Amino acid sequence: MIRSMTGYGSAKGTSGKLEISVELKSVNNRYLDCSIKTPRVYISFEEPMKSLVSKYISRGKVDVFVSIDSANSDDVEIKINRPLAEAYIAVLRDMANEYDLSGEIRTMDLSRFPDVLRAEKKQADAQQLCSDICLILEEAISDFNEMRAREGKRLADDIIMRLDLIESLTDAVEEISPKSVAEYRKKLETRMQEILQAVNIDEARILTEAALFADRVAINEETVRLRSHIAGLREMLESNEPIGRKIDFIVQEFNREANTIGSKGNDAEMAKVIVDMKAEIEKIREQAQNIE
């Protein structure tokens, strides 16, 4: 079953005493663009998480939000970045001396400078935490994909409905086409009678002209190809693989056949049917933009 590119999923779990929450949301995008939002101290986890996302998702702009609550944990150690703290202190003292400033350098003020304080974990703990987060992420992706599959079912149903309409419109143009040839022959006879009046009309010439016209406006090849594309798209919609780009391509073929049929038709009724057909094709193209 096809999937939508838009969706949302979430999951929660624990790693030791840490409480972890993972959320995913996505919008349409031509390619996969994954962004991981995680606490800075765990920035090294981004690559394995992106790798996991790409395993299950092929297209869309995906944002992953990781929240880690360490309120009940005692395995995070806050350390002083001593070289950086000393550098800040030296600069502050130089400023005070150079500009004749008064005031003490307070601990609270110093701690507010970027990276003076840092949270550190042992490497073994970090590896375990990364593994646990990826497991929770996988659960969130499963929830995410279930939502996308439901939306994909709705998109597929809408496209199938429009394929049925296009197929009925194809029936209509096939029915109209022979009428246009008969009308052309009738108009040709009337025109020749008006011009030649009493002179006998060459029936063979009329038949020849009508045959040439019929060949020029024949749409058999186009309708056969159009029906083939309809069958091909229906088959695609049963696939479990990402088909969004393939639908983009086949919709171009739909438009090509519809335009050719329209250019061959010289009938107002035919033109109206082609306009309706192209409107349905455009709606399929719009829906395809939402499919992975």
Side-chain angles (χ1 to χ4, degrees), residues 166-167 169-175 177 213-231 250-265 270 274 277 281:
I166 293 171
E167 196 162 36
L169 292 169
T170 304
D171 292 338
V173 296
E174 288 178 330
E175 186 178 342
S177 185
F213 177 78
D215 184 62
R216 192 164 62 250
V217 300
I219 60 170
N220 291 18
E221 292 183 10
E222 288 76 17
T223 57
V224 167
R225 285 195 293 267
L226 194 51
R227 291 183 188 281
S228 176
H229 296 326
I230 291 170
I250 203 168
V251 164
Q252 293 177 30
E253 298 301 309
F254 272 73
N255 270 316
R256 184 175 290 109
E257 304 305 339
N259 286 334
T260 304
I261 293 171
S263 66
K264 287 186 174 183
M270 173 85 81
I274 293 300
M277 182 183 290
I281 293 171

Side-chain angles (χ1 to χ4, degrees), residues 138-157:
E138 202 159 12
E139 291 179 19
I141 291 173
S142 177
D143 182 51
F144 171 76
N145 280 339
E146 285 179 11
M147 179 179 178
R148 293 200 302 147
R150 291 193 297 271
E151 179 65 12
K153 175 67 166 54
R154 188 190 67 78
L155 293 172
D157 289 344

Side-chain angles (χ1 to χ4, degrees), residues 7-12 21-25 52 56-57 64-65 133-147:
Y8 172 85
S10 65
K12 293 183 178 181
S21 174
V22 177
E23 293 179 283
L24 292 90
K25 68 175 184 178
L52 185 60
Y56 294 98
I57 304 168
V64 180
F65 302 91
I133 289 175
C134 286
L135 287 174
I136 297 167
L137 172 59
E138 202 159 12
E139 291 179 19
I141 291 173
S142 177
D143 182 51
F144 171 76
N145 280 339
E146 285 179 11
M147 179 179 178

Side-chain angles (χ1 to χ4, degrees), residues 15-18 20 41-42 44-45 68 73-77 120-133:
S15 178
K17 295 182 180 180
L18 296 176
I20 301 165
V41 68
Y42 304 117
S44 62
F45 298 171
I68 301 176
S73 176
D74 56 4
D75 61 350
V76 176
E77 184 180 3
E120 292 187 355
K121 293 177 64 65
K122 296 179 180 179
Q123 185 63 29
D125 292 341
Q127 290 176 351
Q128 182 61 51
L129 178 58
C130 181
S131 177
D132 291 340
I133 289 175

Side-chain angles (χ1 to χ4, degrees), residues 6 9 72 92-93 95 123 165 191 198 260-261 266 282:
T6 60
N72 298 322
L92 291 172
R93 285 175 175 166
M95 289 176 63
Q123 185 63 29
L165 288 173
R191 194 175 301 118
T260 304
I261 293 171
N266 67 336
E282 176 60 19

